[in-house]
Structure formats: structure tokens, C-alpha cells
Amino acid sequence: MRILITGTPGTGKSSVAGEISKRKGWPLLGLKETAERHGCIIRKEGKERIVDIRKLKKATLKELKGKKDAVIEGHLGCEFSLPVDFVFILRAHPPELRKRMRKRRYPARKMEENLMAEMLDYCSQVSAKHYNVPILEVDTTKRNAKQTARRILSYLEKKVNSLDKVSWEKELRKAVLSF
């Protein structure tokens, strides 16, 4: 089985994907590392990397060749289609996400862009355009990586029928009204 773990930066993708990979024994493919290995980075702007999406897709498909099982992780995973069985979008309540990004010392502009993307359900909407597999959301706000991984695995093992339904509509209204 191949799964994609995507979502806004700061939602826990790397930690959760690492947990699932470890528990299942599946190879982990990080899109950030794939972009670096295959020269998909067009330019760097401070800590931010501008990535050639087409080149990243091609490199990722090359790395997936021959892998029946895999955990693919990265926020750019929603930007193109990959041969996966499930897409899991990690979500986090905007105030919590802001705390996580501050801890990582995100620049204010980047933090606001990512918070707006989270409130607008960007990853869910874009994934729906690119994937014809189940797209499921998991709220990581009050869960650590192990708990989130356990929740996803429970779904994959058919121990639970659904995951989370996430909407930050109230936060989005507040943000819009504050402009």
C-alpha cells in the first residue's frame, strides 16, 4: 500500500510519516529530500525553497518505482498526482499552528500564508483535483505523532470507519474581518 501524508507546514507530517513507516516497515519518501537529491530546487529565498513541481513529480515517480508499499510525505504532495491508495491531510487549529510555526522561527509573511492556506482547506481542495482515491483529514491539534499515526493506521486496518472532519471557518471569518 502507498499512502501520501500532506498538509500545511507545521501540522506534523514528517513525524507522523516517520511513525507509520517505522510501525509498518514501509520505506519513507520525503518530498523535500527528494527535491534536494534530484536538483528540483529552482532557487532559495532565505529558508524557503522554490521547487520545480514537474521535476519533483518525475523524481518521485522514479524513486517509487518497484516499491509496492511506501509512505510519501510532504506539503507539496497535494500539488500533483502520485500512484497512491490514500491521501491523508494533516490539519491543525490555526492558533496551535501559529505556535508551532513561531517555535520554528517562520518569517511573519510565511506564517500568515500558511495559516491562510490551512483556514482555506488548501491542501484538501488541491488534493481533490489531483487524486481519485480517498482523501482523509486528520486533526493533529491535540494529538502527538504517535497518536496521529495510530489513528491513521486504525483507519487503514479498518478498525475505524472515518477520521476527522475539519473546518476552520470561524477562524477564517475572524481573519477576514480583521483586514
Side-chain angles (χ1 to χ4, degrees):
M1 178 181 302
R2 292 179 179 167
I3 65 170
L4 170 65
I5 308 279
T6 191
T8 306
T11 54
K13 296 176 301 298
S14 299
S15 302
V16 171
E19 263 312 302
I20 292 171
S21 171
K22 186 173 77 176
R23 288 178 188 214
K24 296 299 280 183
W26 296 344
L28 174 60
L29 181 60
L31 295 178
K32 180 180 174 183
E33 296 77 16
T34 301
E36 290 170 0
R37 265 193 311 277
H38 292 270
C40 303
I41 299 169
I42 298 168
R43 69 180 184 280
K44 297 177 182 179
E45 295 175 3
K47 288 184 174 182
E48 192 174 348
R49 311 251 183 290
I50 308 304
V51 175
D52 180 329
I53 297 293
R54 280 188 226 140
K55 198 171 179 182
L56 177 58
K57 178 180 179 175
K58 189 176 177 181
T60 305
L61 290 170
K62 185 178 180 180
E63 289 207 10
L64 280 173
K65 214 168 201 107
K67 290 183 173 88
K68 190 178 83 167
D69 300 316
V71 179
I72 305 149
E73 173 274 319
H75 75 278
L76 292 176
C78 68
E79 299 289 346
F80 52 88
S81 63
L82 291 168
V84 298
D85 300 293
F86 294 92
V87 174
F88 293 97
I89 300 168
L90 303 190
R91 307 288 307 275
H93 192 250
E96 174 62 24
L97 192 55
R98 182 183 298 277
K99 280 186 218 170
R100 294 176 188 180
M101 287 189 281
R102 274 194 182 129
K103 192 174 178 181
R104 293 180 179 185
R105 302 188 193 294
Y106 273 53
R109 181 184 63 81
K110 196 68 192 161
M111 199 167 19
E112 294 309 315
E113 285 175 11
N114 287 327
L115 287 166
M116 189 55 70
E118 178 66 18
M119 289 184 284
L120 289 170
D121 304 327
Y122 178 84
C123 291
S124 297
Q125 291 183 43
V126 175
S127 291
K129 288 181 184 178
H130 294 290
Y131 291 93
N132 194 22
V133 298
I135 298 170
L136 303 134
E137 295 180 328
V138 183
D139 186 354
T140 66
T141 305
K142 294 179 181 175
R143 294 184 182 112
N144 63 32
K146 287 183 182 197
Q147 292 167 325
T148 303
R150 204 172 15 243
R151 183 142 173 78
I152 289 170
L153 290 171
S154 290
Y155 179 84
L156 292 174
E157 294 162 1
K158 299 181 184 342
K159 293 177 183 172
V160 295
N161 297 343
S162 63
L163 293 175
D164 304 322
K165 201 69 187 136
V166 180
S167 172
W168 308 131
E169 193 175 328
K170 289 178 187 174
E171 289 73 13
L172 181 59
R173 278 200 187 108
K174 285 183 214 169
V176 169
L177 291 173
S178 71
F179 280 114

